[in-house]
Amino acid sequence: MKQVIKITLIGLFFILSLSSCGEKLSGKDESSFDSSRKKVEAKLNDKEKEKLEKALRVTLSEAMWLKMNEAEKYTGESINRISMGLVDGKSYSAMLDLADDILQKQQERKVAHLQNEIDSLQKYKTEFELIKKELAVFELEPVELDLEDFFGEPVPRIIVSMKYIGKQPLKGSQGFSYILKKRSTQAIISNEQSVYGESDSVLQPGESRVNTIVFSQEKKDYPKLWEFANYPVKGINLANYDLELIVSTQSMKSDAKEIILPKSSIEMINKNLKKLEAEIAALKKETISLDDLELT
């Protein structure tokens, strides 16, 4: 796929020219540059001048990149000086070849940059999955529903238990996230974070961390939660009441180690990877030359 790029001169003082008939540009200093420019430009037709202008702007863009990315090599040199050095001694045809080479390098650098992003994201994904695996030592038990008195009014409360399923005693504190949603609209009803235990706390296999979510919605919106004959109600299926509960282990901390779940998700990571992979695939298919550029 061809791409059209508009290239604009960025306020630099020199606009270079070369000839197709043996005349060459001198980049030794501004005076010799100006003199050689007049000679070679006199032998170019309008189409050649336009193509040359594109090549020179490409060279300028490369000089900018070199100044920024190879600063030590070009210490004390201006972008103009770098650019003049690149084109010094080049004929018109050599200048076009130089520009095409630069365009190829720039394309390769874009691909390499995207590949580095993909590699970094893949590494992050691997680390993320390892953390999730380390935190996957708690299991959500069947949810219970109870009523509690709230200023003289009965209010439902959802009792959530996370059972420790590890084989060895677990020392330290653990953090959990509890998100209660309206299932049909995915609107968040409650979003809570809780931490249990201290650095010297010990949780035995089979024990649970228990949290209570007070249901603060209007009775008219969820009347069935108030209609059970007896409370507590064990093993309630929240989906039957247009509710969805998402519980996740967010952290485990002890004196020896701290594990914290990153503020991301596998779904988001995969989405970003897919986007980057599509971009790099498109770039690899592209071919670009001076003919694809537009002057503005």
Side-chain angles (χ1 to χ4, degrees), residues 191-221:
N191 188 348
E192 301 178 11
Q193 304 279 330
S194 297
V195 178
Y196 302 90
E198 304 294 337
S199 59
D200 58 351
S201 300
V202 177
L203 193 66
Q204 297 295 333
E207 292 184 335
S208 298
R209 295 301 194 187
V210 181
N211 186 48
T212 298
I213 301 173
V214 177
F215 193 78
S216 59
Q217 301 300 294
E218 295 285 344
K219 182 176 180 179
K220 62 183 178 61
D221 295 327

Side-chain angles (χ1 to χ4, degrees), residues 118-276:
I118 289 172
D119 293 344
S120 296
L121 201 52
Q122 287 284 11
K123 182 181 178 182
Y124 178 73
K125 179 181 177 180
T126 299
E127 294 171 350
F128 187 94
E129 289 174 333
L130 287 174
I131 291 172
K132 285 197 71 174
K133 186 176 181 180
E134 288 187 85
L135 292 174
V137 292
F138 285 89
E139 182 178 81
L140 179 63
E141 296 189 274
V143 175
E144 295 184 27
L145 181 70
D146 202 354
L147 289 180
E148 69 173 36
D149 183 81
F150 186 74
F151 294 102
E153 293 290 334
V155 178
R157 61 175 184 168
I158 300 169
I159 302 171
V160 186
S161 298
M162 291 293 281
K163 181 180 178 180
Y164 174 50
I165 58 175
K167 304 298 183 183
Q168 301 296 327
L170 183 63
K171 185 178 179 180
S173 63
Q174 302 87 42
F176 301 90
S177 168
Y178 306 86
I179 301 175
L180 183 65
K181 297 181 178 181
K182 183 176 177 63
R183 187 180 178 87
S184 59
T185 65
Q186 290 295 292
I188 295 177
I189 295 172
S190 175
N191 188 348
E192 301 178 11
Q193 304 279 330
S194 297
V195 178
Y196 302 90
E198 304 294 337
S199 59
D200 58 351
S201 300
V202 177
L203 193 66
Q204 297 295 333
E207 292 184 335
S208 298
R209 295 301 194 187
V210 181
N211 186 48
T212 298
I213 301 173
V214 177
F215 193 78
S216 59
Q217 301 300 294
E218 295 285 344
K219 182 176 180 179
K220 62 183 178 61
D221 295 327
Y222 298 89
K224 291 183 179 179
L225 297 181
W226 277 263
E227 293 176 356
F228 290 98
N230 298 296
Y231 292 86
V233 182
K234 296 186 177 182
I236 184 172
N237 186 352
L238 294 176
N240 294 337
Y241 306 91
D242 197 23
L243 296 172
E244 178 182 357
L245 178 64
I246 302 172
V247 186
S248 60
T249 308
Q250 295 291 305
S251 65
M252 294 194 303
K253 183 178 180 180
S254 65
D255 291 335
K257 190 174 184 180
E258 183 176 22
I259 306 170
I260 300 175
L261 190 68
K263 301 293 184 181
S264 187
S265 67
I266 294 296
E267 292 74 21
M268 182 58 67
I269 294 171
N270 286 335
K271 181 179 179 181
N272 289 335
L273 277 173
K274 186 176 181 181
K275 178 177 179 290
L276 289 171

